């Protein structure tokens, strides 16, 4: 099988792509977006990712919502 020789531009492109992919992986490891995910729920839900297992989600209530009307 005859493999083509890599030219200078090919090697440069491989190095640039490796650097870009390494920067993306490094950025995701340093700044994970754990608190910004809603796991398919709407904005009225607050979810926390657990290290092991499924996330825990709690529905937020408004200050003047039905929870405060019970005491009246």
């Amino acid at each position: 099988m005859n493999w083509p020789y890599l030219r200078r531009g090919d090697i440069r492109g491989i190095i640039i792509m490796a650097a870009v992919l390494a920067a993306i992986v490094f950025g995701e490891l340093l700044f994970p977006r754990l608190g910004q995910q809603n796991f398919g729920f709407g904005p009225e839900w607050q979810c926390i990712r657990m290290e092991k297992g499924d996330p825990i989600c709690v529905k937020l209530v408004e200050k003047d919502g039905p929870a405060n009307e019970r005491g009246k």
Side-chain angles (χ1 to χ4, degrees), residues 27-71:
E28 288 294 322
L29 289 175
L30 281 182
F31 307 107
R33 294 175 289 190
L34 298 178
Q36 297 175 358
Q37 296 177 350
N38 66 1
F39 300 99
F41 296 103
E44 66 273 1
W45 288 84
Q46 180 180 12
C47 296
I48 299 173
R49 178 181 289 252
M50 304 309 293
E51 222 175 279
K52 294 183 180 178
D54 293 333
I56 296 176
C57 297
V58 178
K59 188 170 184 177
L60 302 174
V61 272
E62 298 177 15
K63 288 185 178 180
D64 298 330
N68 288 341
E69 293 178 6
R70 291 182 197 161

